[in-house]
Amino acid sequence: MDKLAIKAIVVMGVFAFVFLGLTSIALRRSLDRSEPAPVQVGRAKSSFDGAQAYTCAAKIASLCRATPGEKGHEALRAFIRRELGRVGLETRRQVFKASTPQGEAALENLVGVVRGDSSGIIIVSGHYGCQCGVDPMSARARAGASTTAWLLEMARALGPTREGRSVWLCFLDGEEPQAGVSAAEDRSGCRAFVDHLEQRGELKRVTAVMDLNIVGRSTLGLNKDPEAPHWLTGIVWSRADELGYGRHFLPLAHGLEGECEAFREAHIPSAAIVESDVADEEGRGGDEAALSGAASPEGLQVVGDVIYHSILDIDAKLNASEIHGAAT
């Protein structure tokens, strides 16, 4: 065997060794990121303040605990409107009718408008509510408190105006599962909001949607939405990696039944960003300790940092493609 052949074999062996090593590292990293991980945050990487969001979540949980049901629900609406006004955002209100176990009810979606200087709207949404018949210390109620508080803190972080597309922070009513109500009616707030935008001729201005649910636990893992456009989840997950939060944004896709369905039916690029293993939080009691099962300052900070920067990245992506349907 000549020297050239020996050299070729050695080179191929080195390449094979490197390839196997890199594959092993990738597999190990994938396995390491397959489960929620404890959150450790140094300094904030955006103007979003997780501690303020957590304090707000505690206030909302306390409000719903003190005044459950419809009175608490209305008090929460007033709280959201007041907090949006306090940071200078215009508040839009959309009242609609929906079926509940108690009969037909008037529900209300709320929108905090961050006005942009270019055409188009990026929607960041979540659910809110002090539901009738729902234990205010249950996981569902605590999740609603943390999601609502997260949206309010994002309103403060973004401010009333920005460069780029407008951002609408949408607080959707009627989104919680209820006994005796169909799956379609469970998502009545989202569906009513999409219908409302279509009637007003505004639906065509919506370029992307990120819908958040149950954000900010101290052991944090966020599911990748398998129905979302790859470019949209790619932006969020890549940004999480760049900020050092990649292990909380899980690489495995999970079905998120009903999330963003109305937006998708309207052909709007949409991604649900939902924490994994939600059911594990059900049934934990206690005051501040119970809230910590659904939220932590550090967990809220992670999601806030990532989405804050992802909004900028979405703007850049859409600017490059101009037509959101071309972003694939």
Side-chain angles (χ1 to χ4, degrees):
M1 185 178 296
D2 60 27
K3 292 182 179 180
L4 186 61
I6 293 173
K7 186 176 180 180
I9 292 171
V10 170
V11 170
M12 291 175 62
V14 169
F15 274 117
F17 179 80
V18 171
F19 175 77
L20 290 172
L22 292 174
T23 302
S24 175
I25 291 170
L27 287 171
R28 185 163 59 250
R29 288 184 64 186
S30 178
L31 289 172
D32 289 344
R33 291 176 51 179
S34 64
E35 298 291 338
V39 177
Q40 293 181 334
V41 177
R43 62 180 181 83
K45 298 172 183 177
S46 71
S47 55
F48 187 97
D49 188 329
Q52 287 196 44
Y54 182 79
T55 299
C56 182
K59 288 179 181 177
I60 293 170
S62 178
L63 183 154
C64 290
R65 185 166 63 251
T67 315
E70 185 53 39
K71 288 184 178 179
H73 202 60
E74 182 52 47
L76 179 54
R77 288 180 187 133
F79 177 82
I80 293 170
R81 294 194 299 266
R82 185 166 61 250
E83 290 299 301
L84 290 173
R86 187 175 63 82
V87 297
L89 269 64
E90 171 196 349
T91 303
R92 293 178 49 159
R93 304 169 65 178
Q94 181 223 343
V95 177
F96 63 98
K97 299 286 187 181
S99 298
T100 73
Q102 291 75 35
E104 190 174 67
L107 304 181
E108 185 173 333
N109 291 327
L110 300 169
V111 182
V113 178
V114 180
R115 292 201 173 276
D117 62 4
S118 64
S119 61
I121 299 164
I122 298 170
I123 286 178
V124 182
S125 61
H127 68 282
Y128 80 96
C130 296
Q131 294 80 20
C132 295
V134 174
D135 178 3
M137 291 313 298
S138 69
R140 280 173 22 208
R142 288 182 280 115
S146 60
T147 303
T148 301
W150 186 94
L151 285 167
L152 289 171
E153 174 55 22
M154 185 57 72
R156 187 204 63 78
L158 292 172
T161 60
R162 69 184 300 268
E163 295 181 0
R165 290 165 178 78
S166 295
V167 175
W168 286 10
L169 300 167
C170 299
F171 301 77
L172 300 176
D173 204 350
E175 293 286 288
E176 282 297 311
Q178 303 179 74
V181 178
S182 71
E185 290 170 327
D186 276 345
R187 299 293 173 186
S188 56
C190 182
R191 195 164 297 280
F193 185 59
V194 170
D195 290 344
H196 173 71
L197 293 180
E198 189 167 24
Q199 291 166 9
R200 291 174 59 94
E202 294 177 315
L203 192 60
K204 60 189 177 184
R205 295 179 55 206
V206 180
T207 53
V209 176
M210 291 182 285
D211 183 73
L212 284 90
N213 190 11
I214 314 201
V215 298
R217 290 184 292 180
S218 57
T219 299
L220 183 65
L222 296 156
N223 289 336
K224 181 176 284 187
D225 183 351
E227 301 299 322
H230 292 308
W231 70 265
L232 186 51
T233 53
I235 283 174
V236 178
W237 262 246
S238 294
R239 177 55 70 174
D241 279 334
E242 290 173 15
L243 294 175
Y245 299 142
R247 68 179 186 155
H248 302 298
F249 285 72
L250 308 182
L252 302 178
H254 296 273
L256 303 170
E257 185 177 355
E259 305 286 343
C260 299
E261 182 178 355
F263 286 113
R264 287 184 180 132
E265 289 176 355
H267 307 293
I268 296 171
S270 308
I273 301 173
V274 181
E275 285 196 34
S276 63
D277 301 328
V278 170
D280 290 347
E281 295 300 329
E282 192 65 62
R284 293 187 185 180
D287 201 27
E288 189 76 6
L291 177 60
S292 69
S296 69
E298 296 81 10
L300 291 164
Q301 186 70 54
V302 166
V303 183
D305 285 343
V306 172
I307 300 303
Y308 181 92
H309 288 287
S310 293
I311 291 169
L312 302 175
D313 296 339
I314 290 169
D315 247 339
K317 172 71 173 179
L318 294 173
N319 286 341
S321 64
E322 284 301 319
I323 301 172
H324 67 262
T328 56

